[in-house]
Amino acid sequence: MQFTSEERFDDGVRQCEFTLGAIPGTLWTSGIAPAPLVLMAHNNGLPKADPRLAARARYTAARGYAVATIDAVGCGDRPRSAAEERVRADLRRAMQAGEPVDEIFESVVGPMVEKAVPEWQMTLDALLELPEIAGPVGYSGGWTALGIRLAVVEPRIAAAGFFAGGFVPRAQREEARHVTVPLLFLLQWDDEGNPRQRALDLFDAFGSEEKTLHANLGGHTGTPWFELEDGCRFLDRHLK
């Protein structure tokens, strides 16, 4: 892992850019060491510099966590194959035309999850070698499909917060029953791109004995800011 830049903010949070082979990432810390680690994944294809993700990460780091994100394969500025670009073009065309898009999403999101999980695990290995970071580890992010797979295959993850707004392929909906860590699930009741009943069915499928559903009125990007505070309290209960 090679750190390439550093920025410090008035709230005491330090933001460091890093590379791990071909993987670009960002780490936020508050100077409290050793700190529990939170993996914060953005939604499918968005860059790690997405303003909403950066704001959540900085807020969470100020609460005493180390927070990390990466641009996984197909996300941010990382190159995509010609085949991947064609599928994404088909997706944009279908959405503009109001056509069914679930099968196209399957062909986009499923392979992204398969490619992303090993890179996130490699990143987790490198981060836990840093003296300022310690377990336990939490997952928090909009990319629910990735979070489900990581929660199933990665025993170091002790708690997870998911946002119901992203598309979850059939494989991860089946895997949900094997998620057993404490879980906080956020649902926007009027999310225009996510059928409410499908989100409720996914919550019901999770195998966790401790799982909490927070539902708020509003569309996809309307999650109230107080949910970030509640999410940190959830992390506090299970990671500190």
Side-chain angles (χ1 to χ4, degrees):
M1 176 174 284
Q2 179 179 2
F3 288 96
T4 57
S5 68
E6 177 182 316
E7 183 176 2
R8 293 181 180 270
F9 300 99
D10 292 340
D11 57 5
V13 173
R14 182 179 65 166
Q15 176 180 309
C16 297
E17 302 297 320
F18 66 84
T19 58
L20 183 62
I23 306 169
T26 307
L27 174 66
W28 292 264
T29 55
S30 63
I32 299 174
L37 175 62
V38 177
L39 305 179
M40 193 168 283
H42 45 74
N43 208 358
N44 314 325
L46 291 177
K48 61 184 178 61
D50 178 73
R52 287 180 297 163
L53 180 140
R56 295 201 319 269
R58 183 173 163 185
Y59 180 93
T60 305
R63 292 281 295 256
Y65 292 94
V67 182
T69 190
I70 64 171
D71 274 344
V73 174
C75 296
D77 295 328
R78 294 187 66 180
R80 302 184 183 116
S81 68
E84 290 171 333
E85 292 291 5
R86 285 194 297 271
V87 173
R88 288 177 178 272
D90 290 343
L91 178 60
R92 288 192 294 269
R93 179 198 56 76
M95 293 179 70
Q96 291 170 357
E99 298 172 358
V101 294
D102 277 8
E103 291 307 315
I104 302 178
F105 267 124
E106 284 279 349
S107 66
V108 173
V109 181
M112 285 179 65
V113 171
E114 297 296 336
K115 295 175 182 177
V117 167
E119 293 198 340
W120 275 93
Q121 290 183 299
M122 187 186 310
T123 303
L124 177 57
D125 291 341
L127 290 169
L128 289 177
E129 292 181 357
L130 299 175
E132 63 266 37
I133 297 177
V137 179
Y139 178 91
S140 175
W143 196 354
T144 297
L146 172 67
I148 290 172
R149 172 63 62 82
L150 281 174
V152 171
V153 303
E154 183 47 70
R156 291 172 290 186
I157 293 179
F162 296 147
F163 175 59
F167 180 83
V168 178
R170 286 185 289 269
Q172 277 69 64
R173 293 201 294 269
E174 288 294 322
E175 287 178 321
R177 67 182 62 135
H178 301 296
V179 174
T180 58
V181 297
L183 179 67
L184 176 63
F185 197 53
L186 301 183
L187 170 63
Q188 285 301 102
W189 202 245
D190 308 299
D191 193 330
E192 55 277 11
N194 183 45
R196 184 187 305 161
Q197 190 58 53
R198 185 159 63 189
L200 294 173
D201 290 344
L202 179 61
F203 176 76
D204 190 52
F206 285 120
S208 304
E209 292 186 2
E210 180 183 335
K211 55 182 179 179
T212 302
L213 172 68
H214 285 189
N216 292 283
L217 297 177
H220 184 78
T221 60
T223 304
W225 183 253
F226 63 73
E227 287 291 2
L228 183 53
E229 182 179 356
D230 286 347
C232 284
R233 285 199 291 266
F234 167 79
L235 294 173
D236 290 346
R237 289 197 299 273
H238 299 291
L239 302 185
K240 289 186 175 179

